[in-house]
Amino acid sequence: MGCRKKSLTLMIVVAIVFVYGGKQVDGQVHHVVGQDSGWDAASDIASWAAGRTFLLGDFLWFGYSSGLHNDYVVELKTKEEFESCDVSNPIKMYINGVDKISFEEEGIRYFASANPDKCKKGLKFPVETKSKSTAEIQSSSSMKTTLALEPTAPSSSSTKFSGSALMIIAALIIYQMGV
């Protein structure tokens, strides 16, 4: 009977791990523009966007006050419109206050404040969407360059486990303890 209880406990723990264990590395990323500050002139959107990788299947979330005139987001067609903050002919306007945008094809998209003054003060950013394979190639080539230019000391913790792996290890320990 004790062995049967152990097996049942292990099966329940394994089922929980697979159901609630978290997303895999290949999962979609939900980018919240400006983090806690949201889409706002006080946010440093350029710093927020710097260094981020946007992949096919990811989502971009804009949060802002929809009731204020021209505080919404526009998507512009060209780099020239983006750089000059010419928001007079956007290809898309987002006016709901919370907008979710999916990345379904590679390329560069230009987002800006519908208010030209706020756009000129930096409330804008381009998004370059890449496929996973393109991002991996660029990441590995930039890593090689970084390693060649700046050697670093070995990390004290070179092994990283995902939440799922840790839960599986915990389940095996519990099983071995006879709980």
Side-chain angles (χ1 to χ4, degrees), residues 35-179:
Q35 292 300 101
D36 294 336
S37 301
W39 182 251
D40 184 81
S43 298
D44 187 358
I45 299 297
S47 292
W48 172 85
R52 286 189 182 268
T53 302
F54 300 93
L55 300 176
L56 293 174
D58 285 358
F59 294 94
L60 191 64
W61 288 85
F62 285 98
Y64 52 93
S65 300
S66 63
L68 300 174
H69 180 65
N70 286 349
D71 270 0
Y72 41 85
V73 181
V74 294
E75 185 172 349
L76 302 172
K77 188 174 189 174
T78 67
K79 183 177 182 179
E80 292 75 25
E81 290 175 329
F82 173 77
E83 289 176 347
S84 67
C85 290
D86 178 3
V87 296
S88 61
N89 191 25
I91 56 174
K92 179 98 179 185
M93 294 175 61
Y94 301 95
I95 60 172
N96 294 325
V98 176
D99 297 296
K100 177 182 173 185
I101 298 159
S102 63
F103 297 125
E104 297 170 1
E105 48 186 65
E106 290 185 73
I108 299 177
R109 294 171 71 177
Y110 301 99
F111 298 97
S113 170
N115 181 324
D117 292 332
K118 289 182 180 181
C119 176
K120 289 175 184 171
K121 290 179 182 174
L123 194 53
K124 63 179 181 175
F125 73 103
V127 173
E128 182 177 3
T129 306
K130 303 174 184 177
S131 68
K132 183 180 177 200
S133 59
T134 302
E136 286 173 350
I137 291 168
Q138 289 177 345
S139 176
S140 69
S141 67
S142 70
M143 187 172 182
K144 288 176 188 173
T145 303
T146 303
L147 290 173
L149 297 176
E150 300 177 24
T152 59
S155 169
S156 61
S157 174
S158 60
T159 305
K160 295 183 181 179
F161 292 102
S162 70
S164 298
L166 290 174
M167 290 183 74
I168 290 171
I169 291 169
L172 292 172
I173 291 170
I174 290 170
Y175 179 73
Q176 291 298 319
M177 291 174 49
V179 175

